[in-house]
Amino acid sequence: VGEVWRLGDLARWVGGRVQGDPGRPIARVATLERAGPDDLAFLTNVKYRAQAERTRAGAILAAPGIEVPGHDLLLVDEPYLALAEILDRMHPPTRPAAGISPDARVATTASVGLEASVDAFAVIGDGATVGDRAVVGAGAYVGAGCTVGPETTLHPRVVLYPGTEVGARCIVHSGAVLGADGFGFATSGGAHRKVPQLGRVVVEDDVEIGANTTVDRGMLGETRIGRGSKLDDLVMIAHGVVVGPGALLAAQTGIAGSTRAGRNLTMAGQSGVIGHLTLGDGVIVAAKTAVFQDLEAGAFVAGIPAVDHRSWKRSQSLVRRLADMRAELHDLARRIADLEGKTEGTT
Amino acid sequence: VGEVWRLGDLARWVGGRVQGDPGRPIARVATLERAGPDDLAFLTNVKYRAQAERTRAGAILAAPGIEVPGHDLLLVDEPYLALAEILDRMHPPTRPAAGISPDARVATTASVGLEASVDAFAVIGDGATVGDRAVVGAGAYVGAGCTVGPETTLHPRVVLYPGTEVGARCIVHSGAVLGADGFGFATSGGAHRKVPQLGRVVVEDDVEIGANTTVDRGMLGETRIGRGSKLDDLVMIAHGVVVGPGALLAAQTGIAGSTRAGRNLTMAGQSGVIGHLTLGDGVIVAAKTAVFQDLEAGAFVAGIPAVDHRSWKRSQSLVRRLADMRAELHDLARRIADLEGKTEGTT
Amino acid sequence: VGEVWRLGDLARWVGGRVQGDPGRPIARVATLERAGPDDLAFLTNVKYRAQAERTRAGAILAAPGIEVPGHDLLLVDEPYLALAEILDRMHPPTRPAAGISPDARVATTASVGLEASVDAFAVIGDGATVGDRAVVGAGAYVGAGCTVGPETTLHPRVVLYPGTEVGARCIVHSGAVLGADGFGFATSGGAHRKVPQLGRVVVEDDVEIGANTTVDRGMLGETRIGRGSKLDDLVMIAHGVVVGPGALLAAQTGIAGSTRAGRNLTMAGQSGVIGHLTLGDGVIVAAKTAVFQDLEAGAFVAGIPAVDHRSWKRSQSLVRRLADMRAELHDLARRIADLEGKTEGTT
């Protein structure tokens, strides 16, 4: 009973080219594995080439140059980007009904924008500002003096400590905590005295922050997540870090205090960067890596400690051959002893 | 004032054998370190053999073959399993009182089963179904269209995004977030466009999910946690992952998008698996490991990147002897130079 | 319009010495980068020496022996500790207004101390005790039988499972979960049976626990966080662990079940310790390290598996030179073959 489109419509949406029947009806998008004759599947990762051969999908979205016999194709230069466009058109995002739940507690000095939605058990503190068409989910906490930009969504149970600023069109997932105290202690005689954390967190526009991720406030200044950055779940950004714009931080990554990253930092899962470093633009950090030194723009690093990823690969492959090297070393030692014996004899 | 059992009663519960006095009164179970004469202690890990020698416990639960002079023993083939049975009998789990708190908000189109309990400030969305004898803790959020199976417990502050399905007899600990958007972005010209995440999370029966763990929804299809899987705290399961049945994922582990694991995957703490992999049944991943490749059934791997755990141990032990190898190499080089000098001389 | 102090006042607060003009007005503390002529900046990390040369700050807080021409200096032996004192004096911490929100749910059998503050949507269970001047943030959950010490702050959305004990003057950040079930399962025939987790969590006085950190309850006994310990965000402490006093655990670290650490354990980010170990006093664990063995007091370890940090550094530097070693090995093999050829010829 859903809407049905023609393959040619989809091609028009994304500036693509149909190879096959542009009139083919498309009911939905599905994975290669699950798609049926009315579905558009997509081949955006070469790992799934074999699945494409046997898919029952009516049509396949792919990059030019791909051939999948027996299937209509929708060819476009950036198929993953096209997929986003097609899905957005087929499933326009919905917003919850505007209005403030009678079960929310909004301070009289707070301001909630036009068509904003504040769900049950949310708390909005003194002097906080929630922008137009913003969504504050159930049980979310917006501390005193916070700013939530227009069209931003705070999912249920997000916590913004007082003074946190979140830009426009951001998405903050459940359980994320922005603005908790940075981890700053002065240790003297074995005791750790708390250093007051008086700064704040600033999240620029178009940022997405994953579930249960934590971004701590600066000690005095800001912790800043630059425009268009995307943080996955369970990421940790410590006090005073500046990251972005355009950072892409996968799950369970962490950046320690005061480190500053340039544009488009990419960190794969479970990697980390220690504090007080400077990373140039476009740095890529492989999964599980630990960065202990400043990095030039464009660096692609791996390992603990992080080194150029090709060096790391070479080292790791050599580590795997250490037993051979050791055997060869023993063999050479034996042969040298032999030679020494003979040479001894000859002189 | 608690109930008191006889050691022989306990033996009957678990099909074990008493070596000593079956009439010995047992008031409770305690650790070897803290147990007194009325307590049953347990020796399920050989590391604690020395503690068993000096425990004040009246009786010790252990596997056949163990001898601890001066103590009555309860011997059973699977003592840790027996411990679970004994504790369950001594401390039958309690359920909170049935009923919906007047401070919960349950949508009129939601359905809450018989004898279910919904605590204060919980929210149950449109069309959601909560099974019989299920428990929805304080401040938990059950989004629209979710299903919570019978006898499942959602502890306080759990969040289920809309459409999440949780089976029967599951336990989801506080702060866990199921169904947040997967981390999917199409990057073009340095900007990251969100790819709509339209799938859902399915948690099968008898699953336990730890505190602050996150399981993201599939992009189009499902993220699925198979029957009887147990996830510890702060675990991350990305979109489209299929894991289980019977997975055992320790704290701070992560599995990246679209990876599929067979039965009984075991991951030790802080290990990770990258996306788009296939892992066979019974794979074991050691602590801190990073799996970058498909694994056969029964593989036991360690290291970054993961290799067979014996190879990893051997490599690591060789790495620790690298300084010796290097010294030996220098020694050989010197001796060769000597030989070359002499040979030069002799020819 | 804020208060203004004299540099000499600050020196008196911290027992420091002014080098320059004690009458210089100081309006606030700021980073070297952002400070202006009325600000006190601080140089507590030598990495920022160059920034100190160009700061616009009126005065700089530093250790004796530092010279920064053109700036008044406030010299004190422990400048980071002095910074804490100065910030506390300039910005005395504020507490929310005392009283119980009408939107909180406090059991009739619970006890809330004098001047304590309980915010909206907080839940305090049967028989729980909240100390004088304690703060229970919005939506926090204090389970039945919990104890929250005087002057302790639970930030919004903290969860204390039933029976958890938190001492005096603690700070627990949002999303932290204390007392969830330990990860204990008895596996038999591929099925994992839950072992009841009947113990509890005890947090001693003056502890700080970061956002979304989890501390699980003991199986039978306690999980204990010793006095004055500081845990960062997303840390995992498993059942039965005893850590502290004075532990300092950075973000995303984890300690597995039943491990016992001595005083002043320091763990850098993303490091881990497996279960059932004993760590002596003053152990230091480097970032990303995995500790697989007991450690003596004073050990400073790094690597996976953890070894003495100097050995680890040496090994890592040798690993990076493996390609050279391999080349040298080939060269020696060639030269030996040459020698063998010649020796063959001569004998």
Coordinates of all heavy atoms in Angstrom, one line a residue, chain B residues 33 42 47-48 78 80-81 85 88 91 103 121 155 157 173-174 208 212 230-234 246 249 251-252 264 270 288 316 323 326 329 336 340 343, chain C residues 103 105 121 139-140 159 161 175 183 185 188 190 192-194 196 198 212 214 216 219-220 234 236 252-254 260 270-271 276 290 318 321 335 339:
Chain B
E33 N 37.2 -15.8 51.4 CA 37.8 -14.8 52.3 C 36.9 -14.4 53.4 O 37.3 -14.2 54.5 CB 38.1 -13.6 51.4 CG 39.1 -12.7 52.0 CD 39.4 -11.6 51.0 OE1 38.8 -11.5 49.9 OE2 40.2 -10.7 51.4
F42 N 33.0 -21.3 47.9 CA 33.1 -22.0 46.7 C 34.5 -21.8 46.1 O 35.1 -20.8 46.2 CB 32.0 -21.6 45.7 CG 32.0 -20.1 45.5 CD1 32.7 -19.5 44.4 CD2 31.3 -19.3 46.4 CE1 32.7 -18.1 44.3 CE2 31.3 -17.9 46.2 CZ 32.0 -17.3 45.1
K47 N 42.9 -20.3 40.9 CA 43.7 -19.2 41.5 C 43.5 -19.0 43.0 O 44.3 -18.4 43.7 CB 43.3 -17.9 40.8 CG 44.0 -17.6 39.5 CD 44.0 -16.1 39.2 CE 45.2 -15.7 38.5 NZ 45.2 -14.3 38.2
Y48 N 42.4 -19.4 43.5 CA 42.0 -19.2 44.9 C 42.3 -20.4 45.7 O 41.8 -20.5 46.9 CB 40.6 -18.7 45.0 CG 40.4 -17.4 44.3 CD1 39.8 -17.3 43.1 CD2 40.9 -16.2 44.9 CE1 39.7 -16.0 42.4 CE2 40.8 -15.0 44.2 CZ 40.2 -14.9 43.0 OH 40.1 -13.7 42.4
E78 N 30.0 -29.4 37.8 CA 30.0 -28.0 37.3 C 29.7 -27.1 38.5 O 28.6 -26.6 38.6 CB 29.0 -27.8 36.2 CG 29.3 -28.7 34.9 CD 28.4 -28.4 33.8 OE1 27.2 -28.8 33.8 OE2 28.8 -27.7 32.8
Y80 N 30.4 -24.0 39.3 CA 29.9 -22.6 39.1 C 28.4 -22.6 38.7 O 27.6 -21.8 39.2 CB 30.7 -22.0 38.0 CG 30.7 -20.4 37.9 CD1 30.7 -19.7 39.1 CD2 30.5 -19.8 36.7 CE1 30.7 -18.3 39.0 CE2 30.5 -18.4 36.6 CZ 30.6 -17.7 37.8 OH 30.5 -16.3 37.7
L81 N 28.0 -23.6 37.9 CA 26.6 -23.8 37.6 C 25.8 -24.1 38.8 O 24.7 -23.6 39.0 CB 26.5 -24.9 36.5 CG 25.1 -25.1 35.9 CD1 24.8 -23.9 35.0 CD2 25.1 -26.4 35.0
E85 N 22.5 -22.2 40.8 CA 21.3 -22.9 41.3 C 21.1 -22.7 42.8 O 20.0 -22.4 43.2 CB 21.4 -24.4 41.0 CG 20.2 -25.2 41.5 CD 18.9 -24.9 40.7 OE1 19.0 -24.5 39.5 OE2 17.8 -25.1 41.3
D88 N 20.1 -19.1 43.5 CA 18.7 -18.9 43.1 C 17.7 -19.5 44.1 O 16.6 -18.9 44.3 CB 18.4 -19.5 41.7 CG 18.7 -18.5 40.6 OD1 18.6 -17.3 40.8 OD2 19.1 -18.9 39.5
H91 N 18.0 -17.3 47.3 CA 17.5 -15.9 47.1 C 16.6 -15.8 45.9 O 17.1 -15.3 44.9 CB 18.7 -15.0 47.0 CG 19.8 -15.1 48.0 ND1 19.7 -14.4 49.2 CD2 20.8 -15.9 48.1 CE1 20.8 -14.7 49.9 NE2 21.5 -15.6 49.3
D103 N 2.7 8.0 37.9 CA 3.7 9.0 37.3 C 4.3 8.5 36.1 O 5.2 9.1 35.6 CB 4.8 9.3 38.4 CG 4.2 10.0 39.6 OD1 3.4 11.0 39.4 OD2 4.5 9.6 40.7
F121 N 7.8 7.9 35.9 CA 8.5 8.6 34.9 C 8.9 7.8 33.7 O 9.7 8.2 32.9 CB 9.7 9.4 35.5 CG 9.3 10.1 36.8 CD1 10.1 10.0 37.9 CD2 8.2 11.0 36.8 CE1 9.8 10.7 39.1 CE2 7.8 11.6 38.0 CZ 8.6 11.5 39.1
H155 N 15.7 -2.0 33.3 CA 16.1 -1.3 34.5 C 15.9 0.2 34.3 O 15.7 0.6 33.1 CB 17.5 -1.7 34.9 CG 17.6 -3.0 35.6 ND1 17.3 -3.1 37.0 CD2 17.9 -4.2 35.2 CE1 17.4 -4.4 37.4 NE2 17.8 -5.1 36.3
R157 N 15.9 4.0 33.4 CA 16.6 4.8 32.4 C 17.1 4.1 31.1 O 17.9 4.6 30.4 CB 17.8 5.5 33.0 CG 17.6 6.1 34.3 CD 17.1 7.5 34.3 NE 16.8 8.0 35.6 CZ 15.6 8.2 36.1 NH1 14.5 8.1 35.3 NH2 15.4 8.6 37.3
H173 N 20.0 -3.5 31.4 CA 20.5 -2.7 32.5 C 20.4 -1.2 32.2 O 20.4 -0.8 31.0 CB 21.9 -3.1 32.9 CG 21.8 -4.4 33.7 ND1 21.4 -4.5 35.0 CD2 22.1 -5.7 33.3 CE1 21.4 -5.8 35.4 NE2 21.9 -6.6 34.4
S174 N 20.5 -0.5 33.3 CA 20.3 1.0 33.2 C 21.2 1.6 32.2 O 22.4 1.3 32.1 CB 20.5 1.6 34.6 OG 19.5 1.2 35.5
E208 N 20.8 -10.8 28.1 CA 21.1 -9.8 29.1 C 22.0 -8.7 28.5 O 23.0 -9.1 27.8 CB 21.7 -10.4 30.3 CG 21.9 -9.4 31.4 CD 22.1 -10.0 32.8 OE1 21.8 -11.2 33.0 OE2 22.5 -9.3 33.7
N212 N 24.7 0.9 30.1 CA 25.2 1.9 29.2 C 25.8 1.3 27.9 O 26.6 1.9 27.2 CB 26.3 2.7 29.9 CG 25.7 3.7 30.8 OD1 24.5 4.0 30.8 ND2 26.5 4.3 31.7
K230 N 24.8 -12.7 26.1 CA 25.0 -11.9 27.2 C 26.0 -10.8 26.9 O 27.1 -11.1 26.5 CB 25.5 -12.7 28.4 CG 24.7 -14.0 28.6 CD 23.3 -13.8 29.1 CE 22.6 -15.1 29.3 NZ 21.1 -14.9 29.7
L231 N 25.6 -9.5 27.0 CA 26.5 -8.4 26.7 C 26.7 -7.7 28.1 O 25.8 -7.4 28.8 CB 25.8 -7.4 25.8 CG 25.8 -7.8 24.3 CD1 25.1 -9.1 24.0 CD2 25.2 -6.7 23.5
D232 N 28.0 -7.4 28.3 CA 28.4 -6.7 29.5 C 28.2 -5.2 29.3 O 27.5 -4.7 28.4 CB 29.9 -7.0 29.7 CG 30.4 -6.8 31.1 OD1 29.6 -6.2 31.9 OD2 31.5 -7.2 31.4
D233 N 28.7 -4.4 30.2 CA 28.5 -2.9 30.2 C 29.4 -2.3 29.0 O 30.4 -2.8 28.7 CB 29.0 -2.3 31.5 CG 28.3 -2.8 32.7 OD1 27.3 -3.6 32.5 OD2 28.7 -2.5 33.8
L234 N 28.9 -1.1 28.6 CA 29.6 -0.3 27.6 C 30.1 -1.0 26.4 O 31.1 -0.6 25.8 CB 30.8 0.3 28.4 CG 30.5 1.3 29.5 CD1 31.8 1.6 30.3 CD2 29.9 2.5 29.0
G246 N 23.8 -17.1 21.9 CA 24.8 -17.5 22.9 C 26.1 -16.7 22.9 O 27.1 -17.2 23.4
L249 N 29.8 -11.2 25.4 CA 30.6 -10.1 25.0 C 31.0 -9.3 26.2 O 30.1 -8.6 26.9 CB 29.9 -9.2 24.0 CG 29.3 -9.9 22.8 CD1 28.7 -8.9 21.8 CD2 30.4 -10.7 22.1
A251 N 32.9 -6.4 28.7 CA 32.8 -5.0 28.8 C 33.7 -4.3 27.7 O 34.8 -4.7 27.5 CB 33.1 -4.5 30.2
Q252 N 33.1 -3.2 27.2 CA 33.9 -2.3 26.3 C 34.3 -2.9 25.0 O 35.2 -2.4 24.3 CB 35.1 -1.7 27.1 CG 34.6 -0.8 28.3 CD 35.8 -0.3 29.1 OE1 36.7 -1.1 29.4 NE2 35.7 0.9 29.6
N264 N 27.7 -18.5 19.7 CA 28.6 -18.6 20.9 C 29.9 -17.8 20.6 O 31.0 -18.3 21.0 CB 28.9 -20.0 21.3 CG 27.7 -20.6 22.0 OD1 26.8 -21.1 21.3 ND2 27.7 -20.5 23.3
Q270 N 37.4 -5.2 26.0 CA 38.1 -4.1 25.1 C 38.5 -4.7 23.8 O 39.4 -4.0 23.2 CB 39.2 -3.5 25.9 CG 38.8 -2.8 27.2 CD 39.8 -2.0 27.9 OE1 41.0 -2.3 27.8 NE2 39.5 -1.0 28.7
K288 N 41.5 -7.1 24.3 CA 42.2 -6.0 23.6 C 42.5 -6.3 22.1 O 43.2 -5.5 21.4 CB 43.6 -5.8 24.2 CG 43.5 -4.8 25.4 CD 43.5 -3.4 24.9 CE 43.5 -2.4 26.2 NZ 43.1 -1.1 25.8
Q316 N 54.7 -12.3 20.5 CA 54.9 -11.4 21.6 C 56.2 -11.8 22.4 O 56.9 -10.9 22.9 CB 53.7 -11.3 22.5 CG 52.5 -10.6 21.8 CD 52.9 -9.3 21.3 OE1 53.5 -8.4 21.9 NE2 52.6 -9.1 20.0
A323 N 65.8 -7.4 21.6 CA 67.1 -6.8 22.0 C 68.2 -7.8 21.9 O 69.3 -7.6 21.4 CB 67.0 -6.1 23.4
R326 N 68.9 -8.6 18.3 CA 69.7 -7.6 17.7 C 71.2 -7.7 18.2 O 72.1 -7.5 17.4 CB 69.1 -6.2 18.2 CG 69.6 -5.1 17.4 CD 68.8 -3.8 17.9 NE 69.6 -2.7 17.7 CZ 69.7 -2.0 16.5 NH1 69.0 -2.5 15.5 NH2 70.4 -1.0 16.3
L329 N 72.7 -10.5 16.3 CA 73.0 -10.1 14.9 C 74.3 -9.2 14.8 O 75.1 -9.5 14.0 CB 71.8 -9.2 14.5 CG 71.5 -9.0 13.0 CD1 71.4 -10.3 12.3 CD2 70.3 -8.1 12.8
I336 N 81.6 -12.3 11.2 CA 81.7 -12.4 9.8 C 82.8 -11.5 9.2 O 83.6 -11.8 8.4 CB 80.3 -12.1 9.1 CG1 79.4 -13.2 9.4 CG2 80.5 -11.9 7.6 CD1 77.9 -13.0 9.0
E340 N 85.8 -12.5 7.1 CA 86.1 -12.0 5.8 C 87.6 -11.4 5.8 O 88.3 -11.6 4.8 CB 85.1 -10.8 5.5 CG 83.7 -11.4 5.2 CD 82.7 -10.3 5.1 OE1 82.9 -9.2 5.7 OE2 81.6 -10.6 4.5
T343 N 89.8 -14.5 5.6 CA 89.7 -15.1 4.3 C 90.4 -14.3 3.3 O 91.1 -14.8 2.4 CB 88.2 -15.3 3.9 OG1 87.5 -15.9 5.1 CG2 88.0 -16.2 2.8
Chain C
D103 N 8.0 17.4 41.9 CA 8.0 16.4 40.9 C 8.9 15.3 41.1 O 9.1 14.4 40.2 CB 8.3 17.1 39.5 CG 7.3 18.1 39.1 OD1 6.1 17.7 39.2 OD2 7.6 19.2 38.7
R105 N 9.9 11.8 43.3 CA 9.1 10.8 44.1 C 10.0 10.2 45.1 O 11.0 9.4 44.8 CB 8.6 9.7 43.1 CG 7.5 10.1 42.2 CD 6.3 10.5 43.0 NE 5.3 11.3 42.1 CZ 5.3 12.6 42.0 NH1 6.1 13.4 42.8 NH2 4.4 13.2 41.2
F121 N 11.7 14.7 38.9 CA 11.7 13.4 38.3 C 12.8 12.5 38.9 O 13.0 11.4 38.4 CB 11.8 13.5 36.8 CG 10.9 14.5 36.2 CD1 11.3 15.5 35.3 CD2 9.5 14.5 36.5 CE1 10.4 16.4 34.8 CE2 8.6 15.4 36.0 CZ 9.1 16.4 35.1
G139 N 15.9 13.5 37.6 CA 15.8 12.2 36.9 C 16.8 11.2 37.5 O 16.9 10.1 37.0
A140 N 17.5 11.5 38.6 CA 18.4 10.5 39.1 C 17.6 9.5 39.9 O 16.5 9.7 40.3 CB 19.4 11.2 40.1
V159 N 22.2 6.6 38.1 CA 21.4 5.5 38.6 C 22.2 4.8 39.7 O 23.3 4.3 39.4 CB 21.0 4.5 37.5 CG1 20.4 3.3 38.1 CG2 20.1 5.2 36.5
Y161 N 21.7 1.5 41.8 CA 20.8 0.3 42.0 C 20.6 0.1 43.5 O 21.4 0.6 44.3 CB 21.5 -1.0 41.4 CG 21.3 -1.2 40.0 CD1 21.6 -0.3 39.0 CD2 20.8 -2.4 39.5 CE1 21.4 -0.5 37.6 CE2 20.5 -2.7 38.2 CZ 20.8 -1.8 37.2 OH 20.6 -2.0 35.9
G175 N 24.6 10.0 34.0 CA 24.6 8.7 33.2 C 25.4 7.6 33.9 O 25.4 6.5 33.4
F183 N 28.9 -9.3 35.6 CA 28.8 -10.1 34.4 C 29.2 -11.5 34.8 O 30.4 -11.9 34.6 CB 29.7 -9.6 33.3 CG 29.5 -10.1 31.9 CD1 28.3 -9.9 31.2 CD2 30.5 -10.8 31.2 CE1 28.1 -10.3 29.9 CE2 30.3 -11.2 29.9 CZ 29.1 -11.0 29.3
F185 N 28.2 -15.6 34.5 CA 27.3 -16.6 33.8 C 28.1 -17.9 33.9 O 29.3 -18.0 33.7 CB 27.1 -16.2 32.4 CG 26.3 -14.9 32.3 CD1 27.0 -13.7 32.1 CD2 24.9 -14.9 32.4 CE1 26.3 -12.5 32.1 CE2 24.2 -13.7 32.3 CZ 24.9 -12.5 32.2
S188 N 27.2 -23.9 30.3 CA 27.1 -25.4 30.3 C 26.3 -25.8 29.1 O 25.2 -25.3 28.8 CB 26.3 -25.8 31.6 OG 26.1 -27.2 31.5
G190 N 26.9 -24.8 26.1 CA 26.7 -23.7 25.2 C 25.7 -22.6 25.7 O 25.6 -21.5 25.1
H192 N 24.3 -20.0 28.7 CA 24.9 -19.2 29.8 C 23.8 -18.9 30.9 O 22.9 -18.2 30.6 CB 25.4 -17.9 29.2 CG 26.2 -18.0 28.0 ND1 27.4 -18.7 28.0 CD2 26.0 -17.5 26.7 CE1 27.9 -18.7 26.8 NE2 27.1 -18.0 26.0
R193 N 24.0 -19.5 32.0 CA 23.1 -19.3 33.1 C 23.5 -18.2 34.0 O 24.7 -18.2 34.4 CB 22.9 -20.6 33.9 CG 22.0 -20.3 35.1 CD 21.7 -21.6 35.9 NE 20.9 -21.2 37.0 CZ 20.2 -22.1 37.7 NH1 20.1 -23.4 37.3 NH2 19.4 -21.7 38.7
K194 N 22.6 -17.3 34.3 CA 23.0 -16.1 35.1 C 23.3 -16.6 36.5 O 22.5 -17.3 37.2 CB 21.8 -15.2 35.2 CG 22.1 -13.9 35.9 CD 20.9 -12.9 35.8 CE 21.1 -11.6 36.6 NZ 22.2 -10.8 36.0
P196 N 23.4 -15.3 40.1 CA 22.8 -14.1 40.8 C 23.9 -13.2 41.4 O 24.9 -13.7 41.9 CB 22.0 -14.8 42.0 CG 21.6 -16.1 41.5 CD 22.8 -16.6 40.7
L198 N 24.4 -10.7 44.1 CA 23.7 -10.3 45.3 C 24.5 -9.4 46.2 O 24.0 -8.9 47.2 CB 23.5 -11.6 46.1 CG 22.7 -12.7 45.4 CD1 22.8 -14.0 46.1 CD2 21.2 -12.3 45.2
N212 N 28.6 8.5 32.5 CA 28.4 7.2 31.8 C 29.4 6.1 32.2 O 29.5 5.1 31.5 CB 28.4 7.4 30.3 CG 27.1 8.1 29.8 OD1 26.1 8.1 30.5 ND2 27.1 8.6 28.6
T214 N 30.4 2.9 34.6 CA 29.6 1.9 35.2 C 30.5 1.1 36.2 O 31.6 0.8 36.0 CB 29.1 0.9 34.2 OG1 30.3 0.2 33.5 CG2 28.3 1.5 33.1
D216 N 29.9 -2.2 38.6 CA 28.9 -3.3 38.9 C 29.0 -3.8 40.3 O 30.1 -3.7 40.9 CB 29.2 -4.5 37.9 CG 28.7 -4.2 36.5 OD1 28.1 -3.2 36.2 OD2 29.0 -5.1 35.7
M219 N 29.3 -10.1 43.2 CA 28.4 -11.3 43.2 C 27.8 -11.5 44.6 O 26.6 -11.7 44.8 CB 29.2 -12.5 42.7 CG 28.3 -13.7 42.6 SD 29.1 -15.1 42.0 CE 30.1 -15.7 43.4
L220 N 28.7 -11.6 45.6 CA 28.3 -11.8 46.9 C 28.8 -10.6 47.8 O 28.1 -10.2 48.7 CB 28.8 -13.1 47.5 CG 28.3 -14.4 46.8 CD1 29.1 -15.6 47.2 CD2 26.8 -14.5 47.2
L234 N 33.1 6.9 31.1 CA 33.0 5.7 30.3 C 34.0 4.6 30.9 O 34.5 3.8 30.1 CB 33.3 5.9 28.8 CG 32.2 6.8 28.1 CD1 32.7 7.2 26.8 CD2 30.9 6.0 28.0
M236 N 34.8 1.3 33.2 CA 34.1 0.1 33.6 C 34.8 -0.6 34.8 O 35.9 -1.0 34.6 CB 34.0 -0.8 32.4 CG 33.6 -2.2 32.8 SD 32.0 -2.3 33.6 CE 31.8 -4.1 33.9
Q252 N 37.6 5.5 29.6 CA 37.5 4.3 28.8 C 38.4 3.2 29.3 O 38.7 2.3 28.6 CB 37.7 4.6 27.3 CG 36.6 5.6 26.7 CD 36.9 6.0 25.3 OE1 38.0 6.3 24.9 NE2 35.8 6.1 24.5
T253 N 38.9 3.3 30.5 CA 39.6 2.2 31.1 C 38.7 1.2 31.7 O 37.5 1.6 32.0 CB 40.6 2.8 32.2 OG1 39.8 3.5 33.2 CG2 41.6 3.6 31.7
G254 N 39.2 0.0 32.0 CA 38.3 -1.0 32.5 C 39.1 -1.9 33.4 O 40.3 -2.2 33.2
R260 N 42.1 -6.7 42.5 CA 42.3 -5.8 43.7 C 43.6 -5.0 43.5 O 44.7 -5.5 43.2 CB 42.5 -6.6 44.9 CG 41.2 -7.2 45.4 CD 41.3 -8.3 46.4 NE 40.0 -8.8 46.6 CZ 39.4 -9.0 47.8 NH1 40.1 -8.7 48.9 NH2 38.2 -9.5 47.9
Q270 N 42.0 4.3 28.0 CA 41.7 3.1 27.2 C 42.6 1.9 27.6 O 42.8 0.9 26.8 CB 41.9 3.4 25.7 CG 40.9 4.5 25.2 CD 41.0 4.7 23.7 OE1 42.0 4.4 23.0 NE2 39.9 5.2 23.1
S271 N 43.2 1.9 28.8 CA 43.9 0.7 29.3 C 42.9 -0.2 30.0 O 41.8 0.2 30.4 CB 45.0 1.2 30.2 OG 44.6 1.9 31.3
H276 N 40.8 -11.0 38.5 CA 41.5 -11.9 39.5 C 43.0 -11.6 39.6 O 43.8 -12.5 39.9 CB 41.3 -13.4 39.1 CG 39.8 -13.8 39.0 ND1 39.1 -14.0 40.1 CD2 39.0 -13.9 38.0 CE1 37.8 -14.3 39.8 NE2 37.8 -14.3 38.5
A290 N 47.2 -3.4 28.3 CA 46.4 -4.5 28.8 C 47.2 -5.3 29.8 O 48.2 -5.9 29.5 CB 45.9 -5.4 27.7
L318 N 62.5 -1.3 18.5 CA 63.1 -2.4 17.7 C 62.2 -2.9 16.7 O 62.6 -3.3 15.6 CB 63.6 -3.6 18.7 CG 64.8 -3.2 19.5 CD1 65.1 -4.3 20.6 CD2 66.1 -3.1 18.6
R321 N 62.4 -1.1 13.7 CA 63.6 -1.3 12.9 C 63.7 -2.7 12.4 O 64.8 -3.1 12.0 CB 64.8 -0.9 13.8 CG 65.1 0.6 13.7 CD 66.3 0.9 14.6 NE 65.9 1.0 16.0 CZ 66.7 1.1 17.1 NH1 68.0 1.0 16.9 NH2 66.2 1.2 18.3
R335 N 76.8 -12.9 2.8 CA 78.3 -12.9 3.1 C 78.7 -14.2 3.6 O 79.8 -14.7 3.3 CB 78.6 -11.8 4.0 CG 78.5 -10.4 3.4 CD 78.3 -9.2 4.3 NE 79.5 -9.1 5.2 CZ 79.5 -8.3 6.3 NH1 78.4 -7.6 6.6 NH2 80.6 -8.2 7.1
L339 N 81.5 -16.6 2.0 CA 82.6 -17.2 2.8 C 82.7 -18.7 2.7 O 83.7 -19.3 2.5 CB 82.5 -16.8 4.3 CG 82.8 -15.4 4.6 CD1 82.3 -15.0 6.0 CD2 84.3 -15.1 4.5

